[in-house]
Amino acid sequence: MAFNSIAYFAFLPLVYAFFVVTPAKVRWMPLLVFSFYFYMTFSASLAFFLLFAILLNYFIALLIGNNRRPYQRLLLLWSGIVLNISLIVLSRYPVILHALLPTKGLLLSIGVSYYVFQAISYLIDIYLEIEEPERHFGYFALYMAFFPKLLQGPIERAGDLLPQLKVKYEFDYDTMRSGMLMFAWGLFKKVVVADRLALFVNIVYGDVHAYAGLPLVLATWFYAFQIYFDFSGYTDMALGTARMFNIRLTQNFNSPYLATSVADFWRRWHISFSRWILDYIFKPLQMRWRDWRTFGTALALVVTFLVSGIWHGASWGFVAWGLLHGIYLAASVYYKPLQKKIHKALGLEKTRLLNIWQTMVTFQLVCFAWIFFRANSLSDALYVVRHLFDGLNGVRPVLFAHGATELAVALAVLAVMLTVRCITAMPGSDDLPFKWPSGVRWSLYCVLVLSLCLFYVDSGRGFIYFQF
Amino acid sequence: MRVRLIGIGVCYVLLLLFSIFVIAGAKKRAFGHRFIRSDTDVVHGELYEMCKINRFREDIALMKGDATGKIEDADIITIGDSFFGSALASRKFAAELEAVSGRPVYHVENTGKFNSSQVDMPLAYLESISCKRGPNRVLVLESVERYAAQRAKSCQKSWNDVHSWKSDNGYYKERILDTKDIEYFFSNNILSGTANKFLQNVRFDLLGIVNLPVVYHSEVSDMLFYQEEVEFNRSSKGEETIKETADNIACLARKLRDRYNISLVYVILPQKYSLYSARFGDPYDGFIPRLVTEMRKRNVAAVDMYSVYSAQMKLHPDRPLYFGSDTHYNREGKLLLVREIMREITEQNHKRLTNGI
């Protein structure tokens, strides 16, 4: 039951009705029940993983919280972390599970790593006494399983989400309206933009050996936008749904392709995940290797992003993608002082020209890494890399494969997204549609709904990040 | 403010009622059927059903009548995918073959008894029914071209493999968890289904957009295609794949002969898009002829229906062999297949069977 499915639209009003009519003290119940139901529509067996993770972390957190002996607390923390990570490994690498258990069920690791990452951060926060352990099992279970963020995040910190789950719900017109609009906008990003771009990307990446040169470049650029609109569309829908229940989740994207460096890109892309790996992998490693100074930082970056690549799945492509980002960042550690000197010498410091140049270079670096992320295998990715500059032919069949109308619509929606980005980047544009006169606002709503109806692509595809 | 809240409340209640209607209609079939229009003896083409665009709607009669042979005394056994199961404007393939050959034909239906597809694992199926070695029989095994290579890999699986494969998929979604029925009911009931159909037609009339997985090319305006077919046509099929597939089928043929005294006639049916792709600048890569050549090199009796249909289309360009709104062949296409199968059986000199045909 993906966010862009009819079933989700049918269930959401029903869940809301149960939520509203339930007494305030037990309002977590309908949300928790539906969260499990929502998850089980993807994989019934994985619900046991979720339940296990909830029980495990609930009790370990209580044990850590109640224990005053540092050694035992540390032991509990590490056993919690190891057990949590083993959940990811078992779901992501089912071969191990098959070896341990007699069942050979096909297991999809939908959402596991997101709630496991959230659980690990919770345990660490309890250990560091940043947070108190949650004693109410219902609220804790809902914190772990809350359906809008269950499958693809955002990875929420306990301090941000748990208190909101306990606040008494009161209907607020503005919040509901902004939630619905956010959801509709996310849906537009997914079904009109991302799925349309996928039509072109899949032709080329489905059979890369049939193409060379410009079609490969175009497909990679299109993929960069596809994955962004796919993932940020999902996030908007997640945030929008949560907002309908008066819950604010963390923003996960901030115009990542306008980043002026790869480090800046990671501050804008999948923000909750970037923060997580920065706090829980990079910083401890950097501390451990601090005696090695710059080399230690560079190595910590490479290892952190290598882990990030491996986290994405059992594929050499993901490993290469993570390693590339690690190398980009490690290189920038060494290059940055020199870069500053060059910019100063050329008189380019803080100029708009430099900004544009850096944005373009960063975008190309990120796109280059996406090749390894998208290609069906490492050999396919290497083929793409070797043939990126092999001429300009073969573009027309790709672009017109689905007809001129599809191409025109694809270009038009990209133009719309760019325009929206420009408008929202202007100062004072927060909550912009709601500041406009109601006539303009309602016209916009109608255009949005009409565009969804007319231009959606019924691809039947899930979200790209579901698999992680 | 009060008026606004009342308005919101009314909208929400209507939305809630509609949600309940959709969920109840999907999950409670007896209730849902009251709100879905359906014909029992006429269909309109599966591709039409996917895209709902009136222009492509055809009325295709569903024909009754199966082959009458029993597995024990049949001279010819047929196992195939939806092409063999199709009864669109003509009886099922096995019934037509029985009528033409005058010999008892047994068609293996996909029943609940055998929980995997027989066409994927014919050996396992024969094991599962405890088939005995007997007088020489012919097995006509059919696959649509896009699944041929994949099926050739699984076709030698034994019953034990199937048994464990079945438990591989150890969990079955309870009916309550399945949401496909909600999607179906929403798209087909008299309320939202009608609105959905209207929307699809507006999209088509204004923009020429047809919902995936249906592909529409204005160059051949009366035909819809299936996206999987188009993608298969465009994918590269290397010689290694072709040879491996031929090897697997040859191995299957040997096992069938050794274990059951069954002679295999293998048929790969072309997809509609393969026959028409050249009109859209998508050349056909000759997958079927190439595979049939390799199979014949390995002494497998195989029928090249791509070449047969192509020749027929050149001869009679105005007579379609496939339905415009469906992925399957029409009566003429089916009868051509029957003719070719009979020719192959005769040519391969399956003496016991072909004496007197």
Side-chain angles (χ1 to χ4, degrees), chain A residues 10 13 17 37 41 105 405 454 456, chain B residues 12 19 168 173 176 200 203 211:
Chain A
Y37 176 77
T41 59
T405 315
L454 282 179
Y456 77 95
Chain B
Y12 174 68
S19 296
D168 273 355
K173 276 190 175 179
I176 199 165
Q200 299 310 329
R203 268 160 60 92
N211 258 1

Side-chain angles (χ1 to χ4, degrees), chain A residues 1 5-14 16-18 37 40-45 104-108 171 173-174 177 196 199 203 207 209 401-402 405-406 409 441 452-459 461, chain B residues 1 4-5 8 12 15-16 19-20 22-23 27 50 164 167-173 175-179 182-183 186-187 196 199-200 202-203 206-213 215 217 227 231 234-236:
Chain A
M1 195 198 298
S5 69
I6 296 295
Y8 189 73
F9 298 135
F11 271 103
L12 200 55
L14 210 62
Y16 185 75
F18 278 112
Y37 176 77
M40 286 166 79
T41 59
F42 293 98
S43 171
S45 45
K104 292 181 176 179
L106 177 71
L107 216 57
L108 302 167
F171 177 80
Y173 175 75
D174 291 336
R177 184 179 59 171
R196 178 155 278 107
L199 298 176
I203 293 172
D207 188 16
H209 296 275
H402 295 278
T405 315
E406 278 296 354
V409 175
R441 218 172 49 232
L452 279 169
C453 291
L454 282 179
F455 300 119
Y456 77 95
V457 175
D458 187 13
S459 64
R461 287 188 190 93
Chain B
M1 189 65 185
R4 183 193 270 178
L5 283 177
I8 292 166
Y12 174 68
L15 186 66
L16 183 64
S19 296
I20 293 168
V22 170
I23 294 169
K27 297 292 174 192
M50 288 178 200
S164 62
S167 60
D168 273 355
N169 292 285
Y171 67 89
Y172 289 93
K173 276 190 175 179
R175 201 175 143 198
I176 199 165
L177 294 179
D178 194 1
T179 54
I182 295 177
E183 312 273 336
F186 177 85
S187 305
N196 176 49
L199 183 68
Q200 299 310 329
V202 169
R203 268 160 60 92
L206 285 180
L207 304 161
I209 293 177
V210 177
N211 258 1
L212 284 175
V215 175
H217 286 276
Q227 189 196 12
E231 282 173 2
R234 287 174 182 163
S235 66
S236 50

Side-chain angles (χ1 to χ4, degrees), chain A residues 298-359:
Chain A
L299 188 63
L301 283 166
V302 172
V303 172
T304 303
F305 280 87
L306 193 60
V307 171
S308 158
I310 294 167
W311 170 78
H312 280 84
S315 146
W316 288 113
F318 293 136
V319 173
W321 172 80
L323 196 61
L324 257 178
H325 274 280
I327 292 169
Y328 289 160
L329 291 164
S332 74
V333 172
Y334 288 101
Y335 174 62
K336 209 161 192 175
L338 183 68
Q339 190 187 31
K340 277 186 179 168
K341 282 179 192 167
I342 294 171
H343 293 161
K344 203 172 182 181
L346 293 172
L348 287 169
E349 267 186 323
K350 292 178 183 172
T351 59
R352 194 162 180 77
L353 187 68
L354 179 67
N355 199 283
I356 292 169
W357 168 251
Q358 286 180 322
T359 305

Side-chain angles (χ1 to χ4, degrees), chain A residues 415-427:
Chain A
V416 167
M417 301 313 289
L418 190 67
T419 311
V420 170
R421 167 68 202 136
C422 291
I423 293 171
T424 51
M426 287 191 297

